[in-house]
Amino acid sequence: MSLVSHRFRPFGGSIFAEMTALSNKHGAVNLSQGFPDFDGPAAAKDGAIHAINAGHAQYGRMIGVPPLNQAIAVAWERDGRPAIDPDAHITVTSGCSEGIVAAILGLLNPGDELVVFEPFFDFYVTAAAMAAATPRFVTLHPPRNPAAPDAAFSFDESELRAAITPRTRAIVVNTPHNPTGKVFTRDELTLIATLAQQHNAIVITDEVYEHLTYEPRLPHISIATLPGMWERTITLSSLGKTFSLTGWKVGWAIAPEPLSAAVRAAHQFLTFCAATPLQHGAAAALRNPGSYAADLRTLFAANRDLLTDALRRAGLTVFPSHATYFLMADHSALGFPDDRAFCTHLTANIGVAAIPPSVFYADPTHGRALARFAFCKKRDTIDQAVQRLSNLTRRSAT
Ligand SMILES: Cc1ncc(COP(=O)(O)O)c(C=O)c1O
């Protein structure tokens, strides 16, 4: 009999851990879990090593060590956003993951509702369960014509309006979006902002991929910068994706004082503070970003194109990805019953691991035809995957 609490029982184990284990078992090229297979920048590592040797070994400030809060404020402003106060507006968390949980637990009461776009990053829904809040889902539909130059996943305005009720406390936005690679447009964000203001809802926006966008015509926009939105937005981000340091788990929440107070109310009892030396390393990375993110964008955009071509040659329909580590593809032409069957075959028999995305939908049938591929890898790794994917055409087509 399971000893897992009722709260967590519906969620089962992590699909990322499961697919990575399957990938390791079969010696597959692991394009399932979203982590780079190369190292982060020297500035970050040197900063952390220096902090360890300098004796930064004790608990840090609950809201973040001062040099990191200052570096986050400078980075925020460097990206053209209005000035913020490092201590009043920034809370350092153990990765964006903890920021998501702290924001939702700190803000929502039992019975409150949370609007979530699907496919979703699973933490939004599990955090809602921890808060005894109810998620209301708005589907991002695949583009009808994936070959059109501006094709992107999109939502229906009427479906968003229908998901908002008098109990709506918050709307979760994730832009750039995992797993679709969508960048929310100014028009889409303006609609969300207008509805949030009309219904007095808070926006929790997860922007961990803010620096990984590949189309100049689709720049990342922080919804907090839209008129009237600073007051009602919690912006979450982290070090992991921008600097290929996903294992460091250093993140942050940026919000005006009343919303920062809600985040901090939960954060102080979740972890209290992130690892002190890594916070110093994070500060060093943010102070000296160099061309690291620009180089990543060049690498990842090329990887995305190579993978897209290989998957198309293998008979999949690939939806354009404009950002993030990921792309989504439709495998239905290859004749597998669902996403799990396809991804298991791909991992075990072709040697390329991908994620079955039905777990990212409230109704898993919505993800049955899809597979998510991570392209945040060395060029060699992508070349190897491309090579192996050529076998998929031959085996499946016969
Ligand atoms: C959309 C999104 N948010 C948050 C996270 C987690 O961020 P962190 O590693 O900083 O906790 C991820 C990681 O995959 C993600 O894709």
Side-chain angles (χ1 to χ4, degrees):
M1 198 185 85
S2 171
L3 296 181
V4 175
S5 71
H6 292 296
R7 203 162 263 154
F8 289 105
R9 219 173 284 175
F11 301 112
S14 153
I15 190 69
F16 307 109
E18 183 186 332
M19 291 312 296
T20 290
L22 192 68
S23 177
N24 291 342
K25 181 175 165 201
H26 292 284
V29 179
N30 189 358
L31 304 189
S32 63
Q33 203 170 358
F35 57 80
D37 55 354
F38 51 84
D39 212 354
K45 293 193 290 181
D46 292 345
I49 291 165
H50 182 265
I52 290 173
N53 288 329
H56 289 295
Q58 311 308 332
Y59 300 125
R61 255 192 339 177
M62 186 269 279
I63 65 167
V65 301
L68 178 54
N69 291 57
Q70 280 149 20
I72 293 166
V74 171
W76 169 271
E77 290 164 37
R78 192 165 48 220
D79 291 326
R81 297 171 281 206
I84 52 172
D85 182 317
D87 292 346
H89 299 146
I90 298 172
T91 309
V92 174
T93 53
S94 296
C96 176
S97 307
E98 196 225 337
I100 294 167
V101 179
I104 291 175
L105 279 182
L107 206 62
L108 272 72
N109 289 307
D112 283 349
E113 293 182 2
L114 183 73
V115 173
V116 176
F117 291 90
E118 64 172 9
F120 48 74
F121 180 62
D122 50 3
F123 268 65
Y124 314 137
V125 178
T126 49
M130 289 185 222
T134 305
R136 298 271 170 224
F137 297 99
V138 178
T139 304
L140 293 169
H141 301 284
R144 285 204 181 84
N145 178 6
D150 280 334
F153 281 70
S154 62
F155 60 92
D156 284 346
E157 179 174 340
S158 59
E159 291 177 9
L160 174 58
R161 286 182 183 277
I164 299 176
T165 79
R167 285 182 169 270
T168 302
R169 182 82 175 109
I171 302 172
V172 178
V173 175
N174 169 214
T175 184
H177 184 259
N178 168 12
T180 62
K182 169 187 178 62
V183 181
F184 280 65
T185 64
R186 186 171 291 277
D187 285 351
E188 289 171 327
L189 294 174
T190 301
L191 173 63
I192 295 167
T194 305
L195 292 173
Q197 290 176 32
Q198 275 171 10
H199 296 271
N200 195 24
I202 304 302
V203 169
I204 300 170
T205 174
D206 176 343
E207 303 186 359
V208 291
Y209 298 102
E210 59 185 318
H211 295 292
L212 299 180
T213 60
Y214 312 123
E215 303 298 332
R217 67 178 196 287
L218 277 174
H220 168 64
I221 300 167
S222 284
I223 192 168
T225 63
L226 267 49
M229 288 309 290
W230 164 252
E231 293 76 13
R232 57 176 64 253
T233 303
I234 300 173
T235 304
L236 305 172
S237 193
S238 77
L239 193 76
K241 317 295 178 182
T242 308
F243 293 102
S244 310
L245 295 167
T246 60
W248 281 33
K249 298 299 272 187
V250 176
W252 48 86
I254 296 177
E257 280 97 329
L259 292 176
S260 288
V263 172
R264 291 168 183 187
H267 163 68
Q268 65 185 334
F269 295 118
L270 285 170
T271 58
F272 187 78
C273 65
T276 302
L278 299 184
Q279 290 194 56
H280 286 284
L286 288 170
R287 276 196 303 266
N288 306 294
S291 64
Y292 194 83
D295 295 345
L296 271 192
R297 285 192 287 272
T298 306
L299 172 67
F300 290 169
N303 286 353
R304 171 200 64 176
D305 293 344
L306 287 169
L307 192 59
T308 297
D309 289 347
L311 291 168
R312 285 189 176 143
R313 279 197 300 274
L316 287 88
T317 300
V318 181
F319 301 111
S321 164
H322 302 128
T324 76
Y325 281 178
F326 307 111
L327 63 78
M328 291 269 262
D330 184 317
H331 61 78
S332 14
L334 299 186
F336 291 86
D338 60 23
D339 55 332
R340 251 179 194 277
F342 173 70
C343 290
T344 303
H345 168 77
L346 196 66
T347 308
N349 302 325
I350 305 296
V352 177
I355 290 283
S358 51
V359 292
F360 304 143
Y361 289 88
D363 175 354
T365 57
H366 291 163
R368 276 172 68 161
L370 302 173
R372 188 197 79 171
F373 294 85
F375 51 75
C376 51
K377 305 290 174 184
K378 289 188 285 222
R379 172 63 187 268
D380 283 358
T381 309
I382 297 295
D383 284 344
Q384 216 185 336
V386 164
Q387 176 66 36
R388 292 180 179 194
L389 284 167
S390 61
N391 297 328
L392 180 62
T393 322
R394 285 201 296 274
R395 289 187 194 177
S396 303
T398 52

